[in-house]
Amino acid sequence: MSQPSPAPVLSPAPRRIPEAVHRRRWAVLGVLMLSLLIVVLDNSILNVAVKTIAAPAPTGIGATQSELEWSINSYTLVFAGLLFTSGLLGDRLGRKKVLLFGITVFGIGSALAAFSGSPGELIAYRAVMGLGAAFVMPATLAVLMNVFERDEQPKAIGIWAGSVGLAIAIGPITGGILLEHFWWGSIFLVNVPVVLLALGLMIWLVPDSRDPKPGRIDIPGVLLSVLGLVLLVYGIIRGGELASFTDVTVLAPVLGGLAVLAVFVLHERRSDHPAIDMAYFKKPAFSAAVAAIALVFFALMGVTFFSAFYLQSVRGYSALQSGLLILPLAVAQMVFAPRARLVVDRFGAKAVCTAGMLLVAAGLAAFAFFDASTPIWAMEVVFFLQGAGMAHIMPPVTVAIMQALPREKAGSGSAVNNTFRQVGGAMGVAVLGSVLSSTYRGEIEGHLGGVPAALRDTAGESIEATLAVAEKLGPAGRSLVAPAYDAFLDAMHVTAIASAVIALIGAAVVAAFLPGRTPMGAAPTPGAAPDAAAPEGAAPGAGAPEGAARLAGVPAPGAEAGESARR
């Protein structure tokens, strides 16, 4: 009697990620979050410390309003300008190597910034820190995309984005504690031991990955982008200092910057090895995601800049108290960002991101109603709403950008994501800082008649400058204090409305162009990029059939068996 033929045994589908890497993927994510935390934490600490740095020596270094803005923008502009290069180098040389280099440079820049003897030195060393950060931020997201399978990427990106909230929470509180017990430079020196810890963990845990077919580096494109951004933002900051945007020293750099950026775009379109492939921007969903990142950070970074002065100069809170007051914003991000993918699965990216942008806009508009006696609970609610809004914007748009590109271009995709985020933030500080400065100057000038001519221009630059001059004048300067508070509040209200309008524009963009909810069982959006690159040690082509089948909306041969075995 013949025996029945045994049922064929389906071999598990080849895993896209090597098993050794797959097992430690969450530990790798923890190291990436630590690296990201260092970079973001430094900026959140600086926002709390601006009042202290603006104070005369020995408390601070006597930085002016524009010097404070440049201490932020020198970091951000170097960061944004070099993200193209760092992303391409990561794809070419290996993301782990680039990550190690970036963290090391960031640590050196932090140590130098801690001992800055003047605002000029601080600006220069912050640029060094920006150089290091430019090699860290895109590498973290690129490594993430290469250690997680595609179906786990939204969850991992949500946690990655939530770590930004953790940094926002830790930064101001850490900064407040340090400023209460040590000198202002300690806010930078604290980065050094964290950098050393991150370096050790990276060497031990993080796998390397690279693009098997990298292109050439677009050096002209990088130089054009840096030059254009620096000229443009310098002109805007100069306009805020002069309270005029018609002066030749304002118009010349602004128009020059716009011209250079126009040349940059033309160069990128014609180059056979562009720093950024302009073809991606022909996809409405990709462009909308990029625009959402830029607009939300444009609005929020400007408000973050002036909120430190509101909390400390007008309300009289210490740096530590100011950090604690911003805690609800961070908590909301930490709670909601890792869960944003669940809401997107139910309602779609369009609805979720639009609602998030509207929440951010409402929070920004609320600042227009804040005064010197606004209840604390009202401020806390506003900060929480802002954090919740951001938590439902950043993960979905980051997923949209990163999954639009193949894995071997993860460095370039991360560079696009972070470039627009940082450029948006830099422009927010510059434009909204200029709006704040020019409005304040216009409001306070009528009260400076009794101030000596040599001090009058300085006294009109910012609330901190006015209060410093009032203190220097003694009893004769007391009459400046109340007008300074009123002028700052008026300027803050105008800036808050401008920020809210920018956020509303962002809401309109995502509502118009982001994709809606994908029906259950439908194929992914056409044009989504397959997974193509593997961490070093993976078999060539591992996972390609499975990834291609997923994109076609059908299971790969043996996929069900592979999933069962995995479970």
Side-chain angles (χ1 to χ4, degrees):
M1 196 165 93
S2 61
Q3 297 291 330
S5 300
V9 178
L10 295 176
S11 59
R15 191 189 296 280
R16 165 61 185 77
I17 307 297
E19 181 61 33
V21 175
H22 181 76
R23 283 199 305 267
R24 66 177 189 266
R25 65 195 186 283
W26 296 110
V28 171
L29 179 59
V31 179
L32 300 179
M33 288 172 62
L34 179 62
S35 307
L36 180 66
L37 184 144
I38 300 170
V39 175
V40 178
L41 178 145
D42 181 76
N43 272 336
S44 60
I45 286 182
L46 184 59
N47 286 325
V48 172
V50 289
K51 182 176 181 291
T52 304
I53 295 174
T59 303
I61 52 177
T64 64
Q65 178 94 355
S66 62
E67 288 169 339
L68 288 173
E69 290 182 6
W70 271 107
S71 70
I72 294 172
N73 283 332
S74 65
Y75 174 96
T76 306
L77 289 179
V78 172
F79 185 8
L82 293 177
L83 278 172
F84 299 136
T85 301
S86 67
L88 292 172
L89 284 176
D91 291 341
R92 173 188 291 268
L93 302 177
R95 287 125 194 171
K96 179 177 182 177
K97 298 180 183 69
V98 165
L99 190 56
L100 290 170
F101 170 79
I103 282 288
T104 302
V105 172
F106 185 85
I108 293 171
S110 297
L112 293 172
F115 298 99
S116 300
S118 67
E121 288 185 11
L122 177 61
I123 291 169
Y125 294 141
R126 286 278 297 163
V128 174
M129 295 173 67
L131 170 64
F135 287 84
V136 173
M137 183 78 83
T140 60
L141 192 52
V143 170
L144 181 154
M145 298 298 290
N146 280 273
V147 298
F148 283 92
E149 300 286 356
R150 190 177 182 88
D151 56 350
E152 281 190 320
Q153 287 172 2
K155 179 179 180 181
I157 288 174
I159 297 172
W160 179 88
S163 66
V164 175
L166 180 63
I168 292 174
I170 295 175
I173 296 172
T174 304
I177 294 173
L178 291 171
L179 291 173
E180 285 195 355
H181 296 89
F182 304 100
W183 95 113
W184 66 269
S186 62
I187 65 171
F188 298 113
L189 197 60
V190 73
N191 293 335
V192 176
V194 185
V195 163
L196 294 175
L197 174 62
L199 281 172
L201 292 174
M202 281 179 204
I203 294 171
W204 178 31
L205 290 171
V206 175
D208 206 355
S209 60
R210 68 183 72 195
D211 182 355
K213 298 179 180 179
R216 288 181 292 158
I217 300 173
D218 181 20
I219 295 178
V222 170
L223 295 177
L224 285 170
S225 66
V226 172
L227 178 61
L229 289 169
V230 169
L231 285 173
L232 179 61
V233 176
Y234 172 79
I236 294 170
I237 292 175
R238 182 65 177 161
E241 292 175 345
L242 299 178
S244 170
F245 287 88
T246 58
D247 189 276
V248 67
T249 61
V250 176
L251 286 177
V254 166
L255 296 178
L258 291 174
V260 172
L261 290 175
V263 173
F264 166 73
V265 172
L266 292 175
H267 169 78
E268 295 301 293
R269 292 180 64 182
R270 296 176 180 178
S271 174
D272 59 355
H273 58 286
I276 176 173
D277 189 349
M278 294 296 171
Y280 293 128
F281 292 93
K282 295 180 180 179
K283 302 176 182 179
F286 182 87
S287 296
V290 167
I293 288 177
L295 289 171
V296 72
F297 273 88
F298 182 103
L300 277 175
M301 286 301 290
V303 171
T304 301
F305 182 75
F306 72 65
S307 64
F309 288 101
Y310 169 70
L311 292 172
Q312 296 181 47
S313 299
V314 177
R315 300 303 297 266
Y317 295 113
S318 67
L320 176 57
Q321 290 170 330
S322 298
L324 291 171
L325 287 173
I326 301 175
L327 197 58
L329 185 147
V331 169
Q333 286 199 60
M334 292 169 60
V335 170
F336 292 117
R339 296 169 174 80
R341 75 189 193 285
L342 303 176
V343 187
V344 171
D345 288 344
R346 181 166 184 179
F347 299 104
K350 180 195 294 282
V352 172
C353 290
T354 301
M357 291 295 276
L358 291 175
L359 268 180
V360 170
L364 296 172
F367 275 92
F369 301 95
F370 285 4
D371 56 31
S373 59
T374 299
I376 293 297
W377 66 265
M379 295 169 52
E380 300 301 271
V381 169
V382 167
F383 283 132
F384 186 83
L385 289 177
Q386 285 183 323
M390 283 199 69
H392 289 90
I393 298 169
M394 298 311 299
V397 297
T398 302
V399 170
I401 292 172
M402 295 305 296
Q403 291 194 344
L405 281 71
R407 273 199 219 235
E408 73 269 19
K409 300 297 182 184
S412 301
S414 181
V416 170
N417 175 75
N418 289 295
T419 295
F420 279 85
R421 169 178 170 166
Q422 293 302 319
V423 170
M427 296 300 290
V429 171
V431 174
L432 298 177
S434 297
V435 171
L436 181 74
S437 179
S438 58
T439 306
Y440 178 82
R441 185 183 290 273
E443 293 282 340
I444 198 65
E445 275 185 344
H447 301 277
L448 300 178
V451 176
L455 297 174
R456 196 171 300 158
D457 187 63
T458 301
E461 190 171 287
S462 68
I463 183 173
E464 281 301 310
T466 305
L467 295 177
V469 168
E471 185 176 354
K472 184 180 294 186
L473 295 176
R478 291 175 185 168
S479 60
L480 291 176
V481 176
Y485 290 154
D486 293 339
F488 178 82
L489 288 172
D490 289 343
M492 184 181 77
H493 295 161
V494 171
T495 309
I497 293 298
S499 303
V501 170
I502 296 298
L504 287 174
I505 293 173
V509 168
V510 298
F513 298 109
L514 275 188
R517 182 184 177 189
T518 303
M520 293 296 292
T525 304
D531 301 334
E536 289 185 356
E546 183 182 357
R550 276 204 306 273
L551 292 173
V554 296
E560 293 88 346
E563 287 300 316
S564 298
R566 190 177 306 175
R567 285 193 292 268

